[in-house]
Amino acid sequence: MKWLSDSWYRPHPVRWLLLPLSLLYRLISAARRSAYQRGWLTRHKMRVPVIVVGNISVGGTGKTPFVLWLCAQLKQAGYTPGIISRGYGGKAKQYPLDVRCDTATGEAGDEPVLIARRSGCPVVVDPNRSAAAVHLLSQQSCDVIISDDGLQHYALERDIEICLVDSERRFGNKLCLPAGPLREPIARLQSVDFVVYHGEAASQRYQMQLEARRWHNLAEPEKQLPLTAFHEQEVHAVAGIGHPQRFFDLLCEQGIIVHPHAFDDHHDFSAADLDFADELPVLMTEKDAVKCQAFTRPNHWYLPVTARIDDSLAQAILNKLKDPSDG
């Protein structure tokens, strides 16, 4: 419901109608977290460190490129990471599901398939992340687990919590669901180990920027073009991500004449979604591209992105892995 999500980021009277539900949601969320902290509900401890990468708001904050960056940093430091995910948007016949490069996104979800392809690390999907972690360790010799999302999945004990924040949209109206975009109150940031802002954020210690260099043809991935290839050209821009406007803005910054087509996050694309009755190039994110290969055409292009983050964050995470008391 786009009208609802739009109301979270600009004044809208519906928020006052939904405020009682938000207060109830916040109360239940706090009670649930307290129950896990007090040991009233079971938490599962893994035999290797667990790093949770998540957010406190609904919508895209850049978790997937961050997870890929974190995998690379851990591997460079000598670790053997494995990744677990809920697999949002996927419906496997059986869980846990080992995700391969050729696993269907309809089974695993778009983000796990993308992560499996880009990271070279084992990826396991299960709505029960504790079960995913147990399965991962039974099948792979990993010495650290990264949970893609799952900041609110308290049944899985974690050693490090990393919260990503969209520096452009921040926290919207600062209300919890459904009146606002928050899964947990802003105060939750005080209890995580690291807060990383996606985009420019004055006075914030850790910031992430996304770098894009070359367009890849979806039909022939080895065929590539420079980022500036579509300068002053009309294109159809397709985005089924948490914050589509960020992708459209990136294209406009390259001088591209954009006809935007925004879809819901994790949208299950069909050939009809990309049929615009002309021969203009169709540009999309890499996350969307993994779902469109079955009906790709020669004018379909996608843009891989890479996270750029200050080395001090990688060092701080490695220090905390070695010494959990390192603040």
Coordinates of all heavy atoms in Angstrom, one line a residue, residues 104-167:
A104 N 16.3 -20.8 -7.7 CA 15.3 -19.9 -8.2 C 14.9 -18.9 -7.1 O 14.8 -19.2 -6.0 CB 14.0 -20.7 -8.6
T105 N 14.8 -17.6 -7.6 CA 14.4 -16.6 -6.6 C 13.0 -16.9 -6.0 O 12.7 -16.4 -4.9 CB 14.4 -15.2 -7.3 OG1 13.5 -15.2 -8.4 CG2 15.8 -14.9 -7.7
G106 N 12.2 -17.6 -6.7 CA 10.9 -17.9 -6.2 C 10.9 -18.9 -5.0 O 10.0 -18.9 -4.2
E107 N 12.1 -19.6 -4.9 CA 12.3 -20.4 -3.7 C 13.0 -19.7 -2.6 O 12.6 -19.8 -1.4 CB 13.1 -21.7 -4.1 CG 12.4 -22.7 -4.9 CD 13.2 -23.9 -5.1 OE1 14.1 -23.9 -5.9 OE2 13.0 -24.9 -4.4
A108 N 14.1 -19.0 -2.9 CA 15.0 -18.4 -1.9 C 14.7 -17.0 -1.6 O 15.1 -16.5 -0.6 CB 16.4 -18.6 -2.4
G109 N 14.1 -16.2 -2.6 CA 14.0 -14.8 -2.5 C 15.1 -14.2 -3.3 O 16.1 -14.8 -3.6
D110 N 15.0 -12.9 -3.6 CA 15.9 -12.3 -4.5 C 17.3 -12.0 -3.8 O 18.4 -12.2 -4.4 CB 15.4 -11.0 -5.1 CG 14.7 -10.1 -4.1 OD1 15.0 -10.2 -2.9 OD2 13.8 -9.3 -4.5
E111 N 17.3 -11.5 -2.6 CA 18.5 -11.1 -1.9 C 19.4 -12.2 -1.6 O 20.6 -12.1 -1.9 CB 18.2 -10.3 -0.7 CG 17.6 -8.9 -1.0 CD 16.9 -8.2 0.2 OE1 16.7 -8.9 1.2 OE2 16.6 -7.0 0.1
P112 N 18.9 -13.4 -1.1 CA 19.8 -14.5 -0.9 C 20.5 -15.0 -2.1 O 21.7 -15.4 -2.1 CB 18.9 -15.6 -0.3 CG 17.8 -14.8 0.4 CD 17.6 -13.6 -0.5
V113 N 19.8 -15.0 -3.3 CA 20.4 -15.5 -4.5 C 21.5 -14.5 -5.0 O 22.6 -15.0 -5.4 CB 19.3 -15.6 -5.6 CG1 20.0 -16.0 -7.0 CG2 18.3 -16.7 -5.3
L114 N 21.2 -13.2 -4.9 CA 22.2 -12.2 -5.2 C 23.4 -12.4 -4.3 O 24.6 -12.3 -4.8 CB 21.6 -10.8 -5.1 CG 22.5 -9.6 -5.3 CD1 23.3 -9.7 -6.6 CD2 21.8 -8.3 -5.2
I115 N 23.2 -12.5 -3.0 CA 24.3 -12.7 -2.1 C 25.1 -13.9 -2.4 O 26.4 -13.9 -2.3 CB 23.8 -12.7 -0.6 CG1 23.3 -11.3 -0.3 CG2 24.9 -13.1 0.3 CD1 22.6 -11.2 1.1
A116 N 24.5 -15.0 -2.7 CA 25.2 -16.3 -3.0 C 26.1 -16.1 -4.2 O 27.2 -16.6 -4.3 CB 24.2 -17.4 -3.2
R117 N 25.6 -15.4 -5.2 CA 26.3 -15.2 -6.5 C 27.5 -14.3 -6.3 O 28.6 -14.5 -6.8 CB 25.4 -14.6 -7.6 CG 24.3 -15.5 -8.0 CD 23.5 -14.9 -9.1 NE 22.4 -15.8 -9.6 CZ 21.5 -15.5 -10.5 NH1 21.5 -14.3 -11.1 NH2 20.6 -16.4 -10.9
R118 N 27.3 -13.2 -5.5 CA 28.4 -12.2 -5.4 C 29.4 -12.5 -4.3 O 30.5 -12.1 -4.4 CB 27.7 -10.8 -5.1 CG 27.0 -10.2 -6.2 CD 27.9 -9.4 -7.2 NE 28.6 -8.3 -6.5 CZ 28.1 -7.1 -6.3 NH1 26.9 -6.8 -6.8 NH2 28.8 -6.2 -5.7
S119 N 29.0 -13.2 -3.2 CA 29.9 -13.4 -2.1 C 30.8 -14.6 -2.2 O 31.9 -14.6 -1.6 CB 29.0 -13.5 -0.8 OG 28.3 -14.7 -0.7
G120 N 30.3 -15.6 -2.8 CA 31.1 -16.9 -2.8 C 31.0 -17.6 -1.5 O 31.8 -18.5 -1.2
C121 N 30.1 -17.2 -0.6 CA 29.9 -17.8 0.7 C 28.7 -18.7 0.7 O 27.8 -18.4 0.0 CB 29.8 -16.7 1.8 SG 31.3 -15.7 2.0
P122 N 28.7 -19.7 1.6 CA 27.5 -20.5 1.7 C 26.3 -19.6 2.3 O 26.5 -18.8 3.2 CB 27.9 -21.6 2.7 CG 29.1 -21.1 3.4 CD 29.8 -20.1 2.5
V123 N 25.1 -19.8 1.7 CA 24.0 -19.1 2.2 C 22.8 -20.1 2.5 O 22.6 -21.0 1.7 CB 23.5 -18.1 1.1 CG1 22.2 -17.4 1.5 CG2 24.6 -17.1 0.7
V124 N 22.2 -19.9 3.6 CA 21.1 -20.8 4.0 C 19.9 -19.9 4.3 O 20.0 -18.9 5.0 CB 21.4 -21.7 5.2 CG1 20.2 -22.4 5.7 CG2 22.5 -22.6 4.9
V125 N 18.7 -20.3 3.8 CA 17.5 -19.6 4.0 C 16.5 -20.4 4.9 O 16.4 -21.6 4.6 CB 16.8 -19.2 2.6 CG1 15.3 -19.0 2.8 CG2 17.5 -18.0 2.0
D126 N 15.9 -19.7 5.8 CA 14.9 -20.4 6.6 C 14.2 -19.2 7.4 O 14.8 -18.4 8.0 CB 15.5 -21.4 7.6 CG 14.4 -22.3 8.3 OD1 13.3 -21.8 8.6 OD2 14.7 -23.5 8.4
P127 N 12.8 -19.2 7.4 CA 12.1 -18.2 8.2 C 12.5 -18.3 9.7 O 12.5 -17.3 10.4 CB 10.6 -18.6 8.1 CG 10.6 -19.3 6.7 CD 11.9 -20.1 6.6
N128 N 12.9 -19.5 10.2 CA 13.5 -19.6 11.5 C 15.0 -19.5 11.4 O 15.7 -20.4 11.0 CB 13.1 -21.0 12.1 CG 13.6 -21.2 13.5 OD1 14.6 -20.6 13.9 ND2 12.9 -22.0 14.3
R129 N 15.5 -18.3 11.7 CA 17.0 -18.1 11.5 C 17.8 -19.0 12.4 O 19.0 -19.3 12.0 CB 17.3 -16.6 11.7 CG 16.7 -15.7 10.6 CD 17.0 -14.3 10.9 NE 16.5 -13.4 9.8 CZ 15.2 -13.0 9.8 NH1 14.4 -13.4 10.8 NH2 14.8 -12.2 8.9
S130 N 17.4 -19.3 13.6 CA 18.1 -20.2 14.4 C 18.3 -21.6 13.7 O 19.4 -22.2 13.7 CB 17.4 -20.4 15.8 OG 17.3 -19.2 16.4
A131 N 17.2 -22.1 13.1 CA 17.3 -23.3 12.3 C 18.3 -23.2 11.2 O 19.0 -24.1 10.8 CB 15.9 -23.8 11.9
A132 N 18.3 -22.0 10.5 CA 19.2 -21.8 9.4 C 20.6 -21.8 9.9 O 21.5 -22.4 9.2 CB 18.8 -20.4 8.8
A133 N 20.9 -21.2 11.0 CA 22.2 -21.2 11.6 C 22.7 -22.6 11.9 O 23.9 -23.0 11.6 CB 22.3 -20.3 12.8
V134 N 21.9 -23.4 12.6 CA 22.2 -24.7 13.0 C 22.6 -25.6 11.7 O 23.5 -26.3 11.6 CB 21.1 -25.4 13.8 CG1 21.4 -26.9 13.9 CG2 21.0 -24.7 15.1
H135 N 21.7 -25.4 10.7 CA 21.9 -26.2 9.4 C 23.2 -25.7 8.8 O 24.0 -26.6 8.3 CB 20.8 -25.9 8.5 CG 20.9 -26.6 7.2 ND1 20.6 -28.0 7.0 CD2 21.3 -26.1 6.0 CE1 20.9 -28.3 5.7 NE2 21.3 -27.2 5.1
L136 N 23.5 -24.4 8.7 CA 24.7 -23.9 8.1 C 25.9 -24.5 8.8 O 26.8 -25.0 8.1 CB 24.7 -22.4 8.2 CG 26.0 -21.7 7.7 CD1 26.1 -21.8 6.2 CD2 26.0 -20.2 8.1
L137 N 26.0 -24.6 10.1 CA 27.1 -25.1 10.8 C 27.3 -26.6 10.6 O 28.4 -27.1 10.7 CB 27.1 -24.7 12.3 CG 27.2 -23.2 12.6 CD1 27.0 -22.9 14.1 CD2 28.5 -22.6 12.1
S138 N 26.2 -27.3 10.4 CA 26.2 -28.7 10.2 C 26.7 -29.1 8.8 O 27.2 -30.2 8.6 CB 24.8 -29.3 10.4 OG 24.0 -29.0 9.3
Q139 N 26.6 -28.2 7.9 CA 27.0 -28.4 6.5 C 28.3 -27.8 6.1 O 29.0 -28.2 5.1 CB 25.9 -28.0 5.5 CG 24.6 -28.6 5.8 CD 24.6 -30.1 5.5 OE1 25.1 -30.6 4.5 NE2 24.0 -30.9 6.4
Q140 N 28.7 -26.7 6.7 CA 29.8 -25.9 6.3 C 30.8 -25.6 7.5 O 30.4 -25.6 8.7 CB 29.4 -24.5 5.7 CG 28.4 -24.7 4.6 CD 29.0 -25.2 3.3 OE1 30.2 -25.1 3.1 NE2 28.1 -25.7 2.4
S141 N 32.1 -25.4 7.2 CA 33.0 -25.2 8.2 C 33.2 -23.6 8.4 O 34.3 -23.1 8.2 CB 34.4 -25.8 7.9 OG 34.8 -25.4 6.6
C142 N 32.1 -23.0 8.8 CA 32.2 -21.5 9.0 C 32.6 -21.2 10.4 O 32.3 -21.9 11.3 CB 30.8 -20.9 8.7 SG 30.2 -21.2 7.1
D143 N 33.3 -20.1 10.5 CA 33.7 -19.7 11.9 C 33.1 -18.3 12.3 O 33.4 -17.8 13.3 CB 35.2 -19.6 12.0 CG 35.9 -18.8 10.9 OD1 35.2 -18.0 10.2 OD2 37.1 -18.9 10.7
V144 N 32.2 -17.8 11.5 CA 31.4 -16.7 11.8 C 30.1 -16.7 10.9 O 30.2 -17.1 9.8 CB 32.2 -15.3 11.6 CG1 32.6 -15.2 10.2 CG2 31.4 -14.1 12.1
I145 N 29.0 -16.3 11.5 CA 27.7 -16.3 10.8 C 27.3 -14.8 10.7 O 27.3 -14.0 11.6 CB 26.6 -17.1 11.5 CG1 27.0 -18.6 11.5 CG2 25.3 -16.9 10.9 CD1 26.1 -19.4 12.3
I146 N 26.8 -14.5 9.4 CA 26.2 -13.2 9.2 C 24.7 -13.4 9.0 O 24.3 -14.2 8.1 CB 26.8 -12.4 8.0 CG1 28.3 -12.2 8.2 CG2 26.1 -11.1 7.7 CD1 29.0 -11.7 6.9
S147 N 23.9 -12.7 9.8 CA 22.4 -12.8 9.6 C 22.0 -11.6 8.8 O 22.1 -10.5 9.2 CB 21.7 -12.9 10.9 OG 20.3 -12.9 10.7
D148 N 21.5 -11.9 7.6 CA 21.0 -10.8 6.7 C 19.6 -10.4 7.2 O 18.7 -11.2 7.0 CB 21.0 -11.3 5.2 CG 20.4 -10.3 4.3 OD1 20.5 -9.1 4.6 OD2 19.8 -10.7 3.3
D149 N 19.5 -9.3 7.8 CA 18.3 -8.9 8.5 C 18.2 -9.7 9.8 O 19.1 -10.4 10.1 CB 17.1 -9.0 7.6 CG 16.0 -7.9 8.0 OD1 16.2 -7.2 9.0 OD2 15.0 -7.8 7.2
G150 N 17.1 -9.5 10.5 CA 17.0 -10.3 11.7 C 17.3 -9.6 13.0 O 17.5 -10.2 14.1
L151 N 17.4 -8.2 12.9 CA 17.6 -7.5 14.2 C 16.6 -7.7 15.2 O 16.8 -7.7 16.4 CB 17.7 -6.0 13.8 CG 18.4 -5.1 14.9 CD1 19.9 -5.5 15.1 CD2 18.4 -3.6 14.5
Q152 N 15.3 -8.0 14.7 CA 14.2 -8.2 15.7 C 14.0 -9.7 15.9 O 13.0 -10.1 16.6 CB 12.9 -7.6 15.1 CG 12.9 -6.1 15.1 CD 13.7 -5.4 14.0 OE1 13.8 -6.0 12.9 NE2 14.4 -4.3 14.3
H153 N 14.8 -10.6 15.3 CA 14.7 -12.1 15.5 C 15.5 -12.5 16.8 O 16.6 -13.0 16.7 CB 15.2 -12.8 14.3 CG 14.8 -14.3 14.3 ND1 13.6 -14.8 13.9 CD2 15.6 -15.3 14.8 CE1 13.6 -16.1 14.0 NE2 14.8 -16.5 14.6
Y154 N 14.9 -12.2 18.0 CA 15.6 -12.3 19.2 C 15.9 -13.8 19.6 O 16.6 -14.0 20.6 CB 14.9 -11.5 20.3 CG 15.0 -10.0 20.1 CD1 13.9 -9.3 19.8 CD2 16.2 -9.4 20.2 CE1 13.9 -8.0 19.6 CE2 16.3 -8.0 20.0 CZ 15.1 -7.3 19.7 OH 15.2 -6.0 19.5
A155 N 15.2 -14.7 19.0 CA 15.4 -16.1 19.3 C 16.9 -16.6 19.0 O 17.3 -17.5 19.6 CB 14.4 -17.0 18.6
L156 N 17.5 -15.8 18.1 CA 18.9 -16.1 17.8 C 19.8 -15.2 18.5 O 19.8 -14.0 18.3 CB 19.1 -16.0 16.3 CG 20.6 -16.2 15.8 CD1 21.0 -17.6 16.0 CD2 20.7 -15.8 14.3
E157 N 20.7 -15.7 19.4 CA 21.6 -14.9 20.1 C 22.6 -14.3 19.1 O 23.0 -15.0 18.2 CB 22.3 -15.7 21.2 CG 21.5 -15.9 22.5 CD 22.3 -16.2 23.7 OE1 23.5 -15.8 23.7 OE2 21.8 -16.9 24.6
R158 N 23.1 -13.1 19.4 CA 24.0 -12.4 18.5 C 25.1 -11.8 19.3 O 25.0 -11.4 20.5 CB 23.3 -11.4 17.6 CG 22.7 -10.2 18.3 CD 21.4 -10.5 19.1 NE 20.4 -11.1 18.3 CZ 19.5 -10.5 17.6 NH1 19.4 -9.2 17.6 NH2 18.6 -11.2 16.9
D159 N 26.3 -11.8 18.7 CA 27.5 -11.2 19.3 C 27.7 -9.8 18.9 O 28.3 -9.0 19.7 CB 28.7 -12.1 19.0 CG 28.6 -13.5 19.4 OD1 28.0 -14.3 18.7 OD2 29.0 -13.8 20.5
I160 N 27.3 -9.4 17.7 CA 27.4 -8.1 17.2 C 26.2 -7.7 16.5 O 25.6 -8.5 15.7 CB 28.6 -7.9 16.2 CG1 30.0 -8.3 17.0 CG2 28.7 -6.5 15.6 CD1 31.2 -8.2 16.1
E161 N 25.6 -6.5 16.7 CA 24.5 -6.0 16.0 C 24.9 -4.7 15.2 O 25.5 -3.8 15.8 CB 23.4 -5.6 17.0 CG 22.7 -6.8 17.7 CD 21.5 -6.3 18.6 OE1 21.6 -5.2 19.1 OE2 20.5 -7.1 18.7
I162 N 24.6 -4.7 14.0 CA 24.8 -3.6 13.1 C 23.5 -3.1 12.5 O 22.8 -3.9 11.9 CB 25.8 -4.0 12.0 CG1 27.1 -4.5 12.6 CG2 26.1 -2.8 11.1 CD1 28.1 -5.1 11.5
C163 N 23.2 -1.9 12.7 CA 22.0 -1.3 12.2 C 22.2 -0.3 11.1 O 23.0 0.6 11.3 CB 21.2 -0.6 13.3 SG 19.6 0.0 12.8
L164 N 21.6 -0.5 10.0 CA 21.7 0.5 8.9 C 20.5 1.5 8.9 O 19.4 1.1 9.1 CB 21.8 -0.3 7.5 CG 23.2 -0.7 7.1 CD1 23.7 -1.8 8.0 CD2 23.2 -1.1 5.6
V165 N 20.9 2.7 8.5 CA 19.9 3.8 8.5 C 20.0 4.5 7.1 O 21.1 4.8 6.7 CB 20.1 4.8 9.6 CG1 19.1 5.9 9.5 CG2 20.0 4.1 11.0
D166 N 18.8 4.7 6.5 CA 18.8 5.5 5.3 C 19.0 7.0 5.7 O 18.1 7.6 6.3 CB 17.5 5.3 4.6 CG 17.4 6.0 3.2 OD1 18.0 7.1 3.1 OD2 16.7 5.5 2.3
S167 N 20.1 7.6 5.3 CA 20.4 9.0 5.8 C 19.5 10.0 5.1 O 19.3 11.1 5.6 CB 21.8 9.3 5.5 OG 22.1 9.3 4.1

